[in-house]
Amino acid sequence: MGLLSRVSGYYGSVIVIILGMILAVRSARLRRKLPPGPRALPLIGNLLDLPRNHEWLTYVEWGRKFNSDIVHFEFAGTTTIILNSYEAINDLLEKRSNIYSSRPKWTMLNEVIGWGWILITMPYGKSWNTRRKLVHQEFNPKQSERYEPQTVKAVRNLLVDLLREPDNFYHLLRHMAGSLILSITYGITIKPAEIGDPAIDTADRALEGFVAAAIPGSFLVDYLPTLKYLPSWFPGASFKLKGREWGKDADKMLNEPFDIVKEQIVNGSIKPCFVSYCLERKNTDDADETVVRESAGAMYLAGTDTTVCALHIFILAMVCYPEAQRLAQEELDRVVGPDRLPDLKDRDDLPYITAILRSCAGNQSIHLL
Ligand code: HEM
């Protein structure tokens, strides 16, 4: 018996050493194929290097340090590649999108919080395809003309608000973007900025949870997915409690406005909006009510921070480049004159301003610009 256990112990150690060598050789081979990145430690990888906030600053710093616009870091067996330049993004995500455009496995977001239904974090597949098709059919530059009245109204309300409280521009821009998206998606009217609206508050809380969980490295469960099975009372599993709270907001954001629209359909008061157009199409297409509900639920999340960010870039650009601001104002005065406000029909006659807006918004082709 003693001899047997010594022999099996011997073979056990040999197997462990061989496995260790295989893993070391594999990871060295993998590393040789990877772009540069901070030196990873055994087991914990780059855990100690990962930024907790403003992660883009660290990524740019790594790019400079390793003299490469593509860098990588490792954590718990997962490799993350960071693209630090427009060229690298375009080469990999546009030109080779069929290989590289699926989404990573987001355990915290999709499984713990429950965002698995949202297009932006959904991996390629049938569900993704059906939702994306619907969004692109009902929300593209041509169709966006249908949302013009709501857009013009929201912008005019914003101008009045900005005149009243210019220093509060951050909050006012968010309110404008949020209320416009909710109104074109669900046809609902949102209360003015000075009063505030519960639909915006819910969506903002949901968005806050989404953004916090989307930062790479913020939750260990993204790297060790089996942790999702821990009960929430287990030491170190407070992420489950957080996930549950954020999940409630995500759920409310998905269901409450959609259920209002459904009631409006029953009592005949529904206004034309993304959901109403999709529900009309539903009868002829493979998109069922769940697909419409989930595609609509993605709008606030996809459209608010992005729009506010583009508007902030616009304001910053106008402050930093007064000459560009002067030329833009000159174009506006020449084309529109002093007696009225511009609207979307003027856009073709305002090429300089359109170019500025496109550069601030990142020239997104599917969107309203
Ligand atoms: C300047 C403003 C915006 C920018 C820079 C922007 C940027 C983007 C980007 C980069 C994607 C692709 C994400 C990915 O594939 O992972 C995307 C997707 C999407 N955006 Fe926007 N967006 C903006 C405004 C909006 C607005 C206002 C809405 C809705 C009201 C919206 C709705 C969507 C939706 C539904 C998707 C997913 C569709 C798809 O995957 O094809 N976006 N956006």
Side-chain angles (χ1 to χ4, degrees), residues 101 103 119-121 128 132 135-136 139 181 184-185 295 298-311 360-364 366-369:
S101 284
R103 310 309 196 258
L119 190 55
I120 314 164
T121 57
W128 182 86
R132 189 163 209 262
V135 167
H136 282 251
F139 200 73
I181 288 168
I184 61 182
T185 307
S295 305
M299 291 297 186
Y300 191 92
L301 201 89
T304 315
D305 271 358
T306 40
T307 304
V308 174
C309 181
L311 291 170
C360 295
N363 209 6
Q364 284 301 305
I366 71 153
H367 300 102
L368 294 176
L369 273 176

Side-chain angles (χ1 to χ4, degrees), residues 158-305:
L158 171 71
L159 294 178
V160 174
D161 287 344
L162 279 173
L163 267 180
R164 206 186 51 238
E165 298 179 84
D167 291 343
N168 197 14
F169 74 96
Y170 180 80
H171 173 72
L172 296 176
L173 290 177
R174 278 203 77 80
H175 186 84
M176 185 280 291
S179 49
L180 175 57
I181 288 168
L182 290 176
S183 100
I184 61 182
T185 307
Y186 300 102
I188 51 181
T189 308
I190 296 296
K191 296 195 182 84
E194 67 270 24
I195 300 175
D197 194 290
I200 298 250
D201 295 342
T202 304
D204 273 345
R205 280 198 312 274
L207 181 59
E208 208 175 290
F210 184 94
V211 171
I215 299 173
S218 15
F219 289 95
L220 192 58
V221 67
D222 282 327
Y223 300 92
L224 297 171
T226 42
L227 293 180
K228 70 183 173 201
Y229 298 114
L230 287 178
S232 48
W233 50 262
F234 199 80
S238 58
F239 71 92
K240 295 273 296 234
L241 291 175
K242 244 185 194 162
R244 196 181 305 150
E245 280 311 303
W246 284 336
K248 283 184 201 156
D249 294 323
D251 207 53
K252 274 173 105 177
M253 187 183 111
L254 171 66
N255 294 313
E256 280 181 356
F258 192 84
D259 291 339
I260 294 177
V261 177
K262 279 189 71 185
E263 268 171 39
Q264 290 175 343
I265 294 175
V266 174
N267 62 33
S269 63
I270 184 166
K271 297 201 186 96
C273 59
F274 173 78
V275 169
S276 73
Y277 297 128
C278 290
L279 290 174
E280 276 166 30
R281 178 182 290 279
K282 179 177 85 97
N283 303 325
T284 55
D285 227 328
D286 57 351
D288 63 16
E289 189 183 297
T290 307
V291 171
V292 177
R293 185 186 287 266
E294 294 179 353
S295 305
M299 291 297 186
Y300 191 92
L301 201 89
T304 315
D305 271 358

